[in-house]
Every structure is written in structure tokens, then in C-alpha cells.
Amino acid sequence: MKVLKFGGSSVANSQNISKVVQIVSNTASTTKVAVVVSAFGKTTNKLIASANYAAENQSNYLDLFHEVKDHHFQVINDLIKSNQKETVEARIENLFNELKTLLEGCFLLKEITPKTMATISGFGELLSSYIISEIAKQNMNTTYKDSREIIIASNVFDKAQVNFKVTNKNCQDFFDQNNHEVTLLPGFIAKTENGFSTTLGRGGSDYTAAIYAAALNAEELQIWTDVSGMFTANPSVVKQASAIPQISYQEAMELSHFGAKVIYPPTIQPVLEKGIPIVIKNTFDPENVGTLITKESGNSKPVKGITHIENITLLTLEGSGMVGVSGTSKRLFETLSNQGVNIVLITQASSEHSICVGIYDEDAEKATTAVNKVFEIEIERRKINPVTIEQGLAIIALVGDNMKNHQGLSGQMFSALGKNNVNIRAIAQGASQKNISAVIDSNDAKKALNTLHEQFFEEKIKQLNLFVTGAGNVGERFLAQIHQQNQYLREQLKMNIRVVGLSNSRKMVFDTNGLDLNNWKDLLDNGEQASINGFFERSKTLNLRNSVFVDNTANEAVSKIYENYLRNNIAVVTCNKIACASNLENYKNLKRVSRKYNAPFLFETNVGAGLPVIDTLKNLVASGDRVIKIQAVLSGSLNFVFNNFNTSSSFHDVVKEAQKQGYTEPDPTIDLSGIDVARKILILARESGHELELSDIENVSFLPKESLETSNNDDFYKSLTKNEAHFQELFEKASKENSRLKYVAEFSEGKAKVGLQHIPSDHPFYNLEGSDNIVLFYTDRYPVQPLQIKGAGAGADVTASGIFADVIRTTIN
């Protein structure tokens, strides 16, 4: 014999019930079947709500009653043949009349007793099981049996304790005489020893099915629900979660205790003792193998699942008066037990100075009051502190039978959480090592689940969630490169990069599943109004693991918000030089915050676009080398301008072309005034260990005063045309000396300057072509022949590639 249990979602409506009947029919073709059903979906909740409304004397209490009644008669009308319908409707009408009388009594008395509530809440199963049995009779040899005639429990009207001696005998006696192929039984309900209706509590229908399976030594217990088994994590929270093919009883109990709602812990106990396998199956995908639960764990993987419980409060009792005093723990736990408070987690310091327990939020107030009362004398004498509570927490747990045989799992767990700034409030691990639990802020639960699932189940494919601001030349190329390289990154680097948020100066758009980079422009055009703070707040609220903020702008206001991202464990990657060239204290503070919150702050493209200038400098300093001098051509735009400017071209036209090709900033004055180069040499000086301000950089500008004082691009270009003779004169002077004009940055002996220089033919800068940059590092190790870095130093593509490289680098910081 097999026992099949169908949950509320499986019997929620006529269409679903038809699927259930077909599944039962297929199983009954090979073996006898006992079928336990829950109430139709949401029925029990509606009945309880109706009863509470009645007890509160609210006149609308019958609205839910009629809603439930209409739904049941609709199922009868849909699925019962006309020759049976009258009989079925008459019995169901009698049950609803009885239910209505109970509700009316609650309304008149303005109260509801536990006994009455148990009776009312059990009507859902009585109604569903009878209706489904009549539907099944139309095609199968089926009988109906009220579980209250078999399952006998204690005189408690909720979570009643089953009398297995009597129940098992009743069950065996009934089925010994029952020759029907299919037996329909209501779940959840039982009869007290005094003959009254009661219920078996949360997960009672599962428990009912397990009781029958154990009593009958069933071949198998099947739990049919709306998911295809037990998953490695909650699939509604972790999209990459997958079904677990096989799992042990102990693992299933741990997972179900910590929130895996497809099965409840008490369900397992009766069949565990008999070694009866449990199969979790999907009513809506019956061919799926689901999850098999047996004595043995299915494979050698150390971690079988990751799960969590929400709405947790940490209650802490501490004080010097607890140290070495026997009985303190007993008094605490006894007090909580007397208040009906369920303890979910326990941890105690080895010093005995404190005991911390995890309880549900709903119990926090009464637990606090009761414990403070019991320890009132110690609190008055200041031997023990008043109870402290911390609410809004969640417990996250790793579960697996084989965890005890694998070293370092705790380290992997806490390291992964720490890298994503998930603060751990408390830790619990039993000696069996089948469960490692950590208490965290509930706002971090989703991020923590995904982080740990990635760590233990996803073949080390790391997911990066990008929040990108700036969709101009550089931003557009950056997005194109990500889109182009997505498959390569996944296959070769085991990395999945998603753009979750995107913003320009006008619009911003978000998608937690990742924006479609084939049509990001349309998505952005149809997004919501953009704001710098709004973009940050949304990024923070989403609280995704491995988050990276990418700044592709030259906007000062954007640079001022980097600290906010870093403090929320969101890495910052930027080509915007303003932050690193701002006042020294801000630069140092961003570095400190980055280290404190373990959030990388990377800005390689601040100097040299895609060239590895800053990274090389960092490696020199980290390895103990000392920078003596830096000489560099750091402006790709200025190098392009002076490489193309001559007597046959106008300075105005060359600058225009540089801007057209994306070599200059949107405001070309930033490049031509030398401020951009000054910022770059300042950043290199700071990265080499020197504390300079931008005002310390000597900037010898070649632009006329009129050009420097313009306030917009039109006026600036007009000034270039007006002063063409000035620029031609600069060119002629250099030519007479057989030199080329290069805008050079220098740092030596703690001082830095930038300005136009005449470069002779034997100098390394002389043949620097196009928009290339070059940096010469003179150090203790390279005192005569400098370490040289040379290559394209401007342009959207190379800058985007540098940003891309920094994004990838965040995964190894």
C-alpha cells in the first residue's frame, strides 16, 4: 500500500482536483492507496478569520463563510455527475449548516474557545475529503473514512498529541476489513480521548498521512505539493536553486525545521522509525522524480541545502551573577517553556556570562516580561542585566549529513557572508555538525541565501550585479563589451555579470534579473526619472550580493556619493577622476571605508584609460620599491591634438576632431586647461605614498586667458579660432628646435607640475603617436632605465575595457 497526501494548493480548485484524481487513479492501478487531503487552498485560513470576526462581533463574519461555501459548491457542480450531485450537495449543505451554527454562536457570545476553534478550523478537511471521495467514486473503487474515527489524541484543542497505541490499532483494524482500492481520509483532524474534535497543529495533514503510513507499514509515503521536491534553497528567493534528488530523514528534518515548507518536521518521525521512504512530488508535474527521503543521504556532497527562518528575535540574558551559578539556564528555559515560547536557537558564551536564545518575534514581549520577572531579584542587585532583545532578524542555516567529514565549511560560510558585509549576530552548531546556523539581519536574508548558494552549489560561477551610471561614449562601449563577453566570462572565468541598474542624467531603470543589453537604450528611455541619491537608495535597498557601482561619468556630484556605496558593501569602479583628486582627507577616507567594509574601490582608468598604470604602481609600492620620480604624458586628448596640429591645420579643428572621436571630456576645457593631467599626476603621487593636494600641483597652462575663462563649449571654440596665431607660434617655436610639443606631467622630490614642453628627438616621448600615453617610473629598482608603460591612453573603447577589467578585479579583492 502507498499513502498519498495532497496539500491545499493541489486541491485549490476544480482543475487541480482533476489532476489529483488522475494521479490517484494511476497509482491505484498497481497498489492499494490511502489518500489524505488538506482543505481546499486558503479555506482553513478563511474559516479561522471568520471565527475571529464572529468573536469580535463583526457583522461581516459570514462573508468569508459564504465565499468558502460557494467555492465548494462550485467544485461539486464542476466535477460531480448529475445522478450523484443531489446526495453530495445535501451532505455538504448539512456540514455548512453545522459550521454556520458554530460561527453564529461565537458571534452571539462574543468569544471563541480553543475547543470551538479546533472544530471550526477542521471543517475544511471534512468538506474537501468527502467531495473528493465522491469525485473519485465515479471512476475508482473508493471509500471515505473520517480520520476522527481512527486517530485518537490528547484532550488538547490544538497540536494534540496522538495516542499511537490506540490509533495504530484502529487504523489496522479498519484497513484489514477494507477491500476498496482507494480510501479518502481528511488530514489535520483527530478526536480527543473525550470524543471531541481536535487538530494536529501546523502541518497536520502531512502528519496525518505519516501516521497512516507508519501504522500500515506502507510501501511509500508520497507528499504531493506545488513544487518538484525539496530544493537546495527556496526557489522563490534563489533563482538558481535546484531540486535535491535524495536526502536523509535527518537532513529533511533540519531543512523543514528551518523553513523548507514542503514538509513539516513532525511528519517525518512516524515513518522514520519504520524506515518508510517519503517522496515529495509535484501535482502539476507528476512525471518529475521529486525528492526521495530515506535513511541514507543521496550523495557525498557535504551541504545538501541552505534554508532560513524569518521573524526572529534574539533574547539575551547576561551578567556577572550568572558565572558559576548552577540552574540559571534551567530557570531561563523553564520560564520560556511555561509561557509557551518556542526556542529556535541557543548559544552560550563559555564564560557563562551570557545566554542568547532565538525566538519568534511574536513571542518577544511576553518572553521579556516573564524572564525579567523571574530574575527580578538578581536584576535589582545588579547581578544580572535586564533582558535585551534584538528584533528584525533571520536565521540562515547550512544543512547536510556529511558536513562533519569536511573541514573548513564554517570558514567558507562565514567568509562568503563577510565578503558581502552580512553581519552575523549569533552562531550555533551542534556536535553532530549537521547544521551550522547564523543569525543575521532579515534585510540581508536574500543576499545571504544567494551568496551561500553560489558558494556551495553553483560550480563556483560568481554572479556580479552591476549598477551603472553614465551611458555616453564610454558607458555605451562598456555595456557592449559586457554583452559581447558574457558567454566567455561564464565559460572561462566562471563569472556571470548582470547589469541590474542603469542610469543617465535623465532616466534610470532597474531589473533584478538583469537588464536585456540588446535593447538597453529603449529600456532606459522608458525608465523612471533619474536622481543620484535615488539610484543609490535603490541599489542599497535591493541588497544584492557582489554588487558593483560603475561610474562612467565625469560628474562631481556622482563622485561625492561613493562613500555611501562603499559603506553598504557595494564596490565602486570609476573612470571619474574627481573623487581621487579631491581633497586629501576625502581620498584617504574612501580608502579607509573601502577596507573597513571590504568593498573594493578601483579606479585604474583614472590614469591611462585601459593601461595598467595604477595597478603597476600599487604593485611596486606593495613589494617595497620606492618611487623617486615620475614623468608622463597622461592626456590622450592633448597628445592627439599636438600630434595632429601643424601649420596646415587649425588648432580649433584638431580639438574638434579630438572631441568627436571621444578623446576629450564632454567639456574640452578640462583637458586643454591641464586640470585633467594635474588630477592624474596627483593620483599617481598619492598612490606612491605622498600626501599632496590638487593646489600643490604647478599647472603651466598654454591656453590664452580668454579661453580659460569661457563658460561653455561654443565660447571656448570661438576663443580657439580667435587665438589661432598663439597656437601657431607655439608650434613654430618647437619646430625650430627640432622638437615636438607634448603636455608633460612630472613628479619628483615631493613636488609635481604639468605643462607643455619641447621634447627633443632622443627623448622617449618624442615618437609618442596618436592618443597614446606613456609613463616612466624611476624607482630604487629602476633608477636609470625607468619602468615604462606605453599605449592607447584615451578613447571610449580602451577606457571601457579598463573599467571592465576593474569590474572583474572586484571578484579577487
Side-chain angles (χ1 to χ4, degrees):
M1 170 176 275
K2 292 183 179 180
V3 177
L4 280 61
K5 180 266 175 178
F6 293 90
S9 59
S10 296
V11 293
N13 52 49
S14 301
Q15 182 180 2
N16 293 1
I17 292 169
S18 296
K19 295 180 185 295
V20 166
V21 172
Q22 184 60 55
I23 291 168
V24 172
S25 177
N26 292 341
T27 308
S29 64
T30 58
T31 184
K32 281 190 173 184
V33 178
V35 180
V36 177
V37 295
S38 297
F40 293 171
K42 309 299 183 184
T43 294
T44 303
N45 289 342
K46 290 178 180 179
L47 293 179
I48 292 172
S50 180
N52 286 326
Y53 288 156
E56 293 166 3
N57 213 228
Q58 296 186 34
S59 58
N60 65 340
Y61 74 97
L62 286 178
D63 292 348
L64 287 173
F65 167 82
H66 288 299
E67 189 178 316
V68 170
K69 182 177 180 181
D70 291 345
H71 178 47
H72 283 74
F73 275 91
Q74 182 63 53
V75 172
I76 294 170
N77 188 60
D78 292 342
L79 300 178
I80 300 290
K81 295 176 182 178
S82 56
N83 60 333
Q84 291 178 260
K85 192 172 295 183
E86 186 176 339
T87 302
V88 175
E89 287 180 338
R91 178 158 178 178
I92 295 302
E93 184 68 44
N94 286 337
L95 286 172
F96 273 108
N97 287 338
E98 184 181 341
L99 174 59
K100 185 177 181 182
T101 299
L102 290 169
L103 292 171
E104 288 172 342
C106 295
F107 181 77
L108 293 172
L109 293 171
K110 299 180 184 178
E111 69 173 7
I112 185 166
T113 64
K115 177 181 175 182
T116 305
M117 180 60 86
T119 304
I120 290 172
S121 60
F123 264 87
E125 279 71 17
L126 288 172
L127 293 162
S128 65
S129 58
Y130 174 71
I131 292 172
I132 294 172
S133 73
E134 292 299 312
I135 296 168
K137 280 180 183 178
Q138 296 172 142
N139 299 301
M140 290 174 277
N141 180 13
T142 303
T143 189
Y144 170 78
K145 183 67 173 177
D146 189 337
S147 290
R148 294 176 299 181
E149 297 174 16
I150 295 178
I151 300 176
I152 307 302
S154 60
N155 294 312
V156 176
F157 296 105
D158 181 28
K159 303 178 185 176
Q161 299 299 307
V162 174
N163 183 329
F164 281 99
K165 183 177 181 180
V166 175
T167 296
N168 289 344
K169 185 177 186 307
N170 289 345
C171 185
Q172 291 159 7
D173 289 347
F174 170 75
F175 279 93
D176 283 346
Q177 299 174 18
N178 176 23
N179 295 317
H180 293 84
E181 294 174 356
V182 177
T183 304
L184 256 293
L185 304 125
F188 186 53
I189 59 174
K191 184 190 292 183
T192 69
E193 293 165 348
N194 293 337
F196 297 107
S197 292
T198 188
T199 62
L200 300 179
R202 183 172 179 255
S205 292
D206 286 356
Y207 194 23
T208 302
I211 291 168
Y212 286 130
L216 298 170
N217 290 310
E219 174 188 343
E220 186 176 83
L221 168 59
Q222 297 180 1
I223 305 291
W224 290 82
T225 180
D226 55 4
V227 292
S228 299
M230 300 189 81
F231 279 64
T232 51
N234 185 340
S236 66
V237 178
V238 180
K239 302 301 181 185
Q240 292 77 25
S242 58
I244 306 170
Q246 186 173 343
I247 196 170
S248 72
Y249 292 124
Q250 288 78 14
E251 289 170 330
M253 290 182 76
E254 289 283 359
L255 285 173
S256 55
H257 174 70
F258 277 88
K261 295 179 181 178
V262 294
I263 194 170
Y264 293 95
T267 303
I268 299 172
Q269 196 59 44
V271 292
L272 183 153
E273 294 173 359
K274 294 288 187 74
I276 298 168
I278 304 172
V279 183
I280 311 297
K281 299 276 283 181
N282 189 341
T283 304
F284 310 103
D285 185 13
E287 298 305 314
N288 194 299
V289 294
T291 297
L292 174 65
I293 305 173
T294 62
K295 289 182 179 179
E296 302 298 325
S297 185
N299 57 49
S300 59
K301 272 194 172 183
V303 179
K304 277 299 180 62
I306 304 165
T307 187
H308 78 298
I309 308 173
E310 297 274 8
N311 305 314
I312 294 295
T313 291
L314 274 185
L315 183 150
T316 303
L317 185 69
E318 64 179 340
S320 58
M322 296 170 57
V323 179
V325 178
S326 61
T328 303
S329 298
K330 174 182 179 294
R331 291 169 64 194
L332 172 62
F333 299 139
E334 188 174 63
T335 301
L336 295 175
S337 175
N338 291 339
Q339 294 295 317
V341 175
N342 183 36
I343 298 174
V344 186
L345 174 143
I346 303 170
T347 180
Q348 181 174 12
S350 58
S351 65
E352 302 181 33
H353 185 262
S354 67
I355 304 174
C356 183
V357 297
I359 60 177
Y360 290 105
D361 285 346
E362 62 194 43
D363 294 328
E365 185 176 349
K366 66 179 179 181
T368 301
T369 302
V371 174
N372 282 338
K373 180 68 175 174
V374 167
F375 290 94
E376 185 176 14
I377 295 174
E378 290 91 339
I379 292 172
E380 286 179 356
R381 294 175 178 175
R382 298 186 179 180
K383 296 289 186 180
I384 293 178
N385 300 329
V387 165
T388 59
I389 61 170
E390 186 177 1
Q391 295 185 282
L393 304 175
I395 298 175
I396 190 163
L398 295 187
V399 173
D401 278 350
N402 293 318
M403 283 165 45
K404 61 186 176 182
N405 299 321
H406 288 75
Q407 294 180 341
L409 289 178
S410 297
Q412 290 182 52
M413 176 183 182
F414 301 136
S415 175
L417 294 176
K419 286 180 180 178
N420 279 277
N421 203 35
V422 176
N423 189 30
I424 296 172
R425 307 295 208 280
I427 299 167
Q429 180 176 4
S432 66
Q433 299 182 32
K434 293 178 180 178
N435 179 311
I436 306 172
S437 299
V439 182
I440 61 174
D441 191 302
S442 60
N443 292 325
D444 290 331
K446 181 178 180 180
K447 178 164 71 172
L449 282 168
N450 279 276
T451 295
L452 294 179
H453 197 272
E454 181 179 83
Q455 176 70 28
F456 291 104
F457 291 102
E458 295 177 30
E459 299 181 30
K460 303 304 179 185
I461 293 180
K462 189 165 188 174
Q463 181 171 289
L464 293 185
N465 296 294
L466 306 190
F467 297 90
V468 180
T469 188
N473 287 339
V474 173
E476 183 173 355
R477 296 310 306 149
F478 173 67
L479 294 173
Q481 289 175 14
I482 289 177
H483 188 44
Q484 175 188 320
Q485 292 297 104
N486 192 272
Q487 185 175 350
Y488 172 85
L489 292 172
R490 180 182 288 272
E491 293 176 355
Q492 301 299 320
L493 300 184
K494 302 300 180 184
M495 189 182 301
N496 178 29
I497 297 182
R498 306 187 309 176
V499 177
V500 175
L502 179 62
S503 176
N504 57 22
S505 59
R506 302 178 308 280
K507 297 283 188 176
M508 60 184 186
V509 63
F510 297 85
D511 187 339
T512 54
N513 293 317
L515 294 167
D516 181 359
L517 296 184
N518 285 306
N519 66 331
W520 64 264
K521 290 183 179 179
D522 290 338
L523 294 173
L524 190 56
D525 287 342
N526 292 293
E528 60 190 279
Q529 184 175 349
S531 76
I532 293 171
N533 284 323
F535 194 75
F536 161 68
E537 289 295 337
R538 188 72 68 85
S539 304
K540 180 178 75 170
T541 301
L542 288 175
N543 199 21
L544 300 174
R545 71 195 188 282
N546 306 324
S547 290
V548 183
F549 172 64
V550 180
D551 179 12
N552 294 319
T553 76
N555 189 308
E556 183 175 4
V558 174
S559 73
K560 288 181 177 179
I561 205 167
Y562 291 171
E563 183 179 347
N564 292 356
Y565 283 99
L566 296 172
R567 286 187 179 276
N568 284 276
N569 191 238
I570 299 174
V572 173
V573 169
T574 179
C575 61
N576 187 342
K577 293 173 279 292
I578 296 175
C580 289
S582 62
N583 68 76
L584 180 62
E585 184 51 40
N586 184 58
Y587 163 82
K588 292 167 69 175
N589 181 57
L590 290 174
K591 292 273 194 166
R592 282 194 301 267
V593 173
S594 170
R595 290 191 296 270
K596 179 177 180 181
Y597 292 94
N598 195 32
F601 174 42
L602 301 176
F603 43 90
E604 181 64 72
T605 49
N606 278 196
V607 181
L611 297 175
V613 176
I614 293 176
D615 194 50
T616 301
L617 177 56
K618 284 181 177 178
N619 290 336
L620 288 172
V621 174
S623 66
D625 204 355
R626 182 177 65 92
V627 174
I628 301 169
K629 182 170 68 173
I630 302 172
Q631 285 185 312
V633 174
L634 295 173
S635 174
S637 54
L638 284 173
N639 199 43
F640 176 89
V641 167
F642 288 112
N643 278 336
N644 289 278
F645 175 57
N646 52 50
T647 55
S648 62
S649 62
S650 75
F651 195 74
H652 167 280
D653 291 347
V654 174
V655 174
K656 269 285 189 183
E657 183 62 24
Q659 186 176 35
K660 180 181 177 181
Q661 293 195 28
Y663 294 138
T664 73
E665 300 286 353
D667 176 5
T669 313
I670 295 173
D671 295 280
L672 273 70
S673 68
I675 185 66
D676 185 62
V677 176
R679 287 171 175 160
K680 291 176 179 178
I681 194 66
L682 173 65
I683 292 169
L684 292 182
R686 286 176 171 177
E687 289 295 304
S688 61
H690 295 268
E691 297 190 346
L692 274 69
E693 298 285 3
L694 187 59
S695 58
D696 296 326
I697 311 298
E698 182 184 354
N699 185 352
V700 183
S701 178
F702 66 88
L703 285 177
K705 183 178 180 182
E706 179 184 355
S707 299
L708 288 170
E709 292 177 349
T710 57
S711 59
N712 58 68
N713 285 2
D714 287 342
D715 289 345
F716 176 71
Y717 279 113
K718 287 177 183 177
S719 76
L720 297 186
T721 301
K722 184 178 178 181
N723 290 278
E724 179 66 23
H726 166 73
F727 301 117
Q728 289 292 341
E729 183 181 353
L730 293 175
F731 178 79
E732 288 174 7
K733 284 183 178 179
S735 296
K736 287 179 180 178
E737 297 177 8
N738 293 318
S739 299
R740 288 183 175 179
L741 291 172
K742 300 292 180 183
Y743 201 85
V744 178
E746 292 183 320
F747 172 75
S748 178
E749 297 180 356
K751 296 181 179 180
K753 67 177 181 178
V754 297
L756 200 60
Q757 294 185 15
H758 293 179
I759 302 298
S761 59
D762 60 349
H763 195 282
F765 294 172
Y766 184 83
N767 291 314
L768 195 65
E769 300 296 334
S771 61
D772 285 1
N773 280 190
I774 186 169
V775 181
L776 306 179
F777 288 120
Y778 293 88
T779 72
D780 287 343
R781 295 175 190 157
Y782 300 91
V784 179
Q785 292 296 326
L787 176 62
Q788 183 179 128
I789 301 170
K790 180 181 177 181
D797 275 313
V798 292
T799 303
S801 68
I803 295 167
F804 199 166
D806 268 354
V807 167
I808 294 172
R809 197 175 286 121
T810 64
T811 66
I812 57 176
N813 271 273

